[in-house]
Amino acid sequence: MLGRITIDTVRPATPSADFPAKAVVGERIPVSADIFRDGHDLLAARVRWRRAGKSRWHEAPLTPLINDRWEGALTATDTGRHEFVIEAWRDRFATWRHDVEIKAAAGDDLELELEEGARILESLAPGVPARDRGRVVEAVAGLRRTACTLQVRLNAGLDDQVASLVAGVPDADVTSTPARRLWVDRLRGGYGAWYELFPRSEGGFAGAAKR
């Protein structure tokens, strides 16, 4: 489907979906996926995870690398069955910033673009934590402040702090993978295993077999 976001080659994973990927509690677990769509719009993505049966999700951003590969990490703080999903969406605000900078450099009329940026920020503001939401609301007002110069209005919308505040807020067109299983073992599970048994310490192979 034209414009549909594709998320493929998700890691961590096992060769068979019958078995979960494994990790150790407290370790940084790399997460990656191929994420792309048709068109020139910029994308944003994140990983969300939780212990199986729990309602609270944790989340962390994914960063684009090369050739549509995105990468991030998650950290599980307790052992047992977990699940994680990859989510991606069209980043309307990042796309708007990119396009408006090009048009400003070309000397185009930006009145419509300034209003578009204000509306995008208005729609994203509810997803920003309450303590930071005022900064986004200020940017919306700045974009619409016709008494100011064009540069002042642009600065309000292109502010890096504002961009960072709304970067993790997904738009309505979120694409999500099915939940992937992850088994988190205790710390010793990273180096202790049943086959690490020394027959000599059990009286030879016969003693080890009996044990």
Side-chain angles (χ1 to χ4, degrees):
M1 185 183 301
L2 186 64
R4 181 175 181 270
I5 297 175
T6 298
I7 305 176
D8 199 8
T9 321
V10 176
R11 295 287 187 271
T14 57
S16 170
D18 295 333
F19 301 98
K22 290 189 175 182
V24 174
V25 67
E27 75 171 341
R28 182 182 182 275
I29 305 167
V31 177
S32 60
D34 293 333
I35 304 174
F36 55 91
R37 76 185 294 270
D38 294 325
H40 74 284
D41 289 341
L42 301 179
L43 300 178
R46 67 183 179 182
V47 56
R48 303 179 72 215
W49 70 96
R50 66 179 178 181
R51 199 180 195 284
K54 299 292 185 180
S55 59
R56 182 190 175 195
W57 288 87
H58 306 275
E59 61 186 57
L62 297 184
T63 302
L65 302 178
I66 58 173
N67 296 329
D68 300 319
R69 195 65 179 168
W70 292 65
E71 189 175 84
L74 64 85
T75 302
T77 57
D78 52 359
T79 59
R81 293 186 300 116
H82 286 67
E83 58 184 1
F84 72 94
V85 297
I86 302 293
E87 294 181 342
W89 60 93
R90 183 170 58 95
D91 193 333
R92 292 185 299 148
F93 187 65
T95 301
W96 175 84
R97 291 184 84 207
H98 176 264
D99 291 347
V100 82
E101 286 177 335
I102 293 175
K103 292 181 180 180
D108 294 347
D109 178 68
L110 298 177
E111 198 60 41
L112 290 178
E113 281 73 15
L114 293 175
E115 177 58 25
E116 179 188 10
R119 294 187 181 190
I120 292 173
L121 286 178
E122 276 184 328
S123 68
L124 297 176
V128 176
R131 65 179 182 276
D132 299 318
R133 198 172 300 149
R135 185 68 188 85
V136 178
V137 173
E138 289 177 6
V140 172
L143 284 166
R144 289 174 170 160
R145 194 167 290 127
T146 56
C148 294
T149 65
L150 173 62
Q151 192 58 51
V152 170
R153 296 171 70 188
L154 275 175
N155 288 342
L158 298 177
D159 184 86
D160 289 338
Q161 182 184 3
V162 173
S164 66
L165 290 176
V166 300
V169 181
D171 277 344
D173 59 342
V174 177
T175 298
S176 178
T177 63
R180 307 296 179 104
R181 294 189 297 159
L182 178 70
W183 178 265
V184 180
D185 213 337
R186 58 179 180 158
L187 184 61
R188 190 172 180 179
Y191 55 85
W194 65 268
Y195 53 79
E196 291 182 345
L197 184 149
F198 296 91
R200 183 175 59 187
S201 66
E202 297 295 332
F205 284 106
K210 182 179 179 181
R211 169 72 177 264

